[in-house]
Amino acid sequence: MKTMPERLRAAQGAIPDAADFVDQVMRGVAAAGPRRARRPLRGTWVIGGLVAAAACLLVALLIYPDGRDSLAFAQVVENLRRARSVAFTFVALSADGASEQWEVTIEDGVGMRSESGDMTVISDTRDQSWMSIVHSRREATIIRGTHQMARVYDWLRGLKGSATEPARREVVDGRDRLVFSTSDVVKGVPGQAAITLWVDPETELPVQAKLEITLEDRAAAAQVPSVIWLRDIRFDGDVEAGTFDTTVPEGYRLVGLDGAPADPTTAPVR
Amino acid sequence: MVPVAAADQPTAIHRSDAALVSETLGGDDAAFAMLVARYERSARAICYGVLRDWHLAQDAAQDGFVSAYRDLHRLRSPSSFGPWLLTIMRRQAERIRRRRRPTAPLHLQPEPISTAGNSTGPDTEALLAAVSALPEHERVVVTLRYFEQLDVNDIARICGRPVGTGTKQLSRAHGRLETALNRSHR
């Protein structure tokens, strides 16, 4: 019984020689020559495209010698909307001089997590609620609504500034930044916010933002920060699984805003 | 005596399919002739596996090569030339077989495609038919190994794949051919 390689070698011997096979094929190839015109045509399109692109670039450079200065505020906001995730340091300064600082991570349409010392705040966008955890007391509180840090970021993403060019250039931490300024009304209470964005000309995304809030009502003004900074803004970094998990951590108890034990089945509490 | 110019030229076996395809696309028809020489026996064997007639297989293979030349710019990965070509060959042979199918009334026995003296033994026919039906990459390594009599290092260089991949494909093809032939003998 022959092995398969032996049988295949034997089959090879059955293939008759075809002495002029290559020549015959090449004669057929020569006859088919004109149909190969497709390839040069393809190359022509590529070269034509490159020439057109180069011409457009040249025109753009002639009109805008420093192309980056032509970046419009609307484009920056559009880029913000497209970002999948963002991380930044949130600094809030109150009129009475108090301040707080949080490290914030937000994933678009998923949730927000912020950490500050003993506290963690996690919000789940789909649940429209957020959980505040105080680690030293091993307590968690679930509150309905959207946390203010997520609201501030959403605010920036919804801005409708009309500036077609940045107000100025500024060097921040040794790097060249484009500075945009605009203003917007504060939602819910009468007031205005002056908003400044420092934009990286390479990514066309903000690296820093400042919101200066002026409320007409003094009592209300005492309740909200007068200045908010978003510093060291980074986009589209990796977000670990479980970052926005609002399950009460094991060993922690769920409490209401008043500190009394809360029924997990009736949370959120407000 | 070998002419100096010819001796300096790398032989076809030292050139990968991908390199020869690129040169052909660059306008060097001699590179395509090398590809034809490399695959001609394989191509005819594949066509024979479908047609069971060496004259028809040769015609189909010639047409297949011309068709491959014409459509070479459509080949996305030049290193896949072998599988791509042998697929063209198989389709070309099937097209010819369909054209030759008798159109006589169904109650008449159709003429066999094979003609005396132009076919080979039934075992070899069945084997070539089974080779023709192998998956693309296995078909290439089998035909290059046994019909073009190349060693596995040359096949690896031609196909742009590791030697180990080629030997595994050969081994799998042997098993597949055994199975196919056992089934056809039942």
Side-chain angles (χ1 to χ4, degrees), chain A residues 175-194:
Chain A
R175 295 196 176 181
D176 191 30
R177 302 301 187 209
L178 305 175
V179 185
F180 286 91
S181 296
T182 188
S183 61
D184 200 11
V185 293
V186 179
K187 284 177 189 163
V189 287
Q192 283 278 324

Side-chain angles (χ1 to χ4, degrees), chain A:
Chain A
M1 182 74 183
K2 283 182 177 176
T3 62
M4 185 49 66
E6 286 169 344
R7 294 172 76 177
L8 284 162
R9 280 190 200 101
Q12 189 270 338
I15 303 172
D17 286 332
D20 57 349
F21 184 86
V22 177
D23 289 341
Q24 285 183 27
V25 169
M26 295 314 290
R27 278 199 289 275
V29 159
R35 295 192 67 174
R36 288 181 68 224
R38 285 177 179 208
R39 192 175 151 73
L41 185 64
R42 216 184 198 189
T44 306
W45 276 107
V46 171
I47 292 165
L50 288 171
V51 169
C56 289
L57 184 64
L58 186 63
V59 169
L61 287 171
L62 288 171
I63 295 171
Y64 303 111
D66 185 353
R68 293 295 174 189
D69 273 346
S70 66
L71 177 63
F73 183 76
Q75 183 60 55
V76 175
V77 175
E78 180 59 30
N79 294 343
L80 264 175
R81 289 196 193 112
R82 286 181 187 164
R84 283 181 297 102
S85 67
V86 63
F88 53 84
T89 303
F90 179 96
V91 180
L93 306 169
S94 301
D96 60 5
S99 68
E100 60 181 294
Q101 181 171 320
W102 296 79
E103 295 303 321
V104 182
T105 302
I106 296 172
E107 188 170 357
D108 190 28
V110 181
M112 181 214 71
R113 183 187 187 98
S114 52
E115 313 262 359
S116 179
D118 189 36
M119 288 186 70
T120 299
V121 170
I122 307 169
S123 83
D124 185 323
T125 306
R126 290 157 295 192
D127 286 354
Q128 291 287 298
S129 63
W130 52 280
M131 179 179 1
S132 170
I133 302 169
V134 182
H135 297 286
S136 58
R137 295 205 295 263
R138 302 182 79 76
E139 287 177 354
T141 305
I142 297 176
I143 300 160
R144 184 168 293 130
T146 306
H147 195 274
Q148 67 162 352
M149 284 175 263
R151 284 211 301 269
V152 168
Y153 181 61
D154 282 343
W155 189 1
L156 295 181
R157 298 175 96 197
L159 286 173
K160 291 184 174 64
S162 58
T164 54
E165 289 188 4
R168 62 183 186 277
R169 281 175 176 267
E170 215 173 88
V171 176
V172 180
D173 296 332
R175 295 196 176 181
D176 191 30
R177 302 301 187 209
L178 305 175
V179 185
F180 286 91
S181 296
T182 188
S183 61
D184 200 11
V185 293
V186 179
K187 284 177 189 163
V189 287
Q192 283 278 324
I195 298 163
T196 310
L197 297 180
W198 285 261
V199 174
D200 182 339
E202 293 300 318
T203 62
E204 300 183 349
L205 281 162
V207 293
Q208 181 172 277
K210 182 185 183 186
L211 297 91
E212 295 170 279
I213 300 164
T214 307
L215 298 185
E216 291 173 13
D217 184 298
R218 282 191 175 189
Q223 300 290 315
V224 299
S226 55
V227 178
I228 293 172
W229 283 93
L230 274 60
R231 289 188 170 135
D232 189 21
I233 306 176
R234 286 105 53 207
F235 293 92
D236 293 333
D238 289 335
V239 180
E240 285 179 24
T243 299
F244 310 114
D245 184 359
T246 51
T247 310
V248 177
E250 200 162 327
Y252 284 61
R253 66 187 185 123
L254 192 62
V255 298
L257 283 173
D258 57 0
D263 181 353
T265 60
T266 59
V269 298
R270 191 169 65 185

Side-chain angles (χ1 to χ4, degrees), chain A residues 4-5 7-9 11-12 14-18 21-22 24-26 28-29 32 35-36 38-39 42, chain B residues 24-25 29 40-41 44-45 54 58 61-62 65-66 69-70 73-74 120 127 146-147 149 174 178 181:
Chain A
M4 185 49 66
R7 294 172 76 177
L8 284 162
R9 280 190 200 101
Q12 189 270 338
I15 303 172
D17 286 332
F21 184 86
V22 177
Q24 285 183 27
V25 169
M26 295 314 290
V29 159
R35 295 192 67 174
R36 288 181 68 224
R38 285 177 179 208
R39 192 175 151 73
R42 216 184 198 189
Chain B
T24 306
L25 289 173
D29 284 350
E40 62 116 345
R41 289 178 79 84
R44 285 187 292 121
W54 285 115
Q58 180 157 332
Q62 281 175 1
F65 275 114
V66 173
Y69 177 82
R70 216 167 36 206
H73 62 280
R74 291 188 183 150
T120 187
L127 181 57
Y146 297 107
F147 303 161
Q149 295 179 299
H174 290 160
E178 292 277 8
L181 292 180

Side-chain angles (χ1 to χ4, degrees), chain B residues 123-169:
Chain B
D123 286 351
T124 304
E125 277 193 359
L127 181 57
L128 292 179
V131 170
S132 185
L134 282 172
E136 284 181 6
H137 288 285
E138 291 177 19
R139 194 189 301 155
V140 171
V141 292
V142 164
T143 56
L144 289 180
R145 178 78 186 91
Y146 297 107
F147 303 161
E148 309 293 346
Q149 295 179 299
L150 300 179
D151 68 32
V152 287
N153 293 311
D154 289 334
I155 295 171
R157 187 162 44 243
I158 286 168
C159 298
R161 288 201 177 77
V163 173
T165 305
T167 52
K168 274 181 208 158
Q169 284 173 333

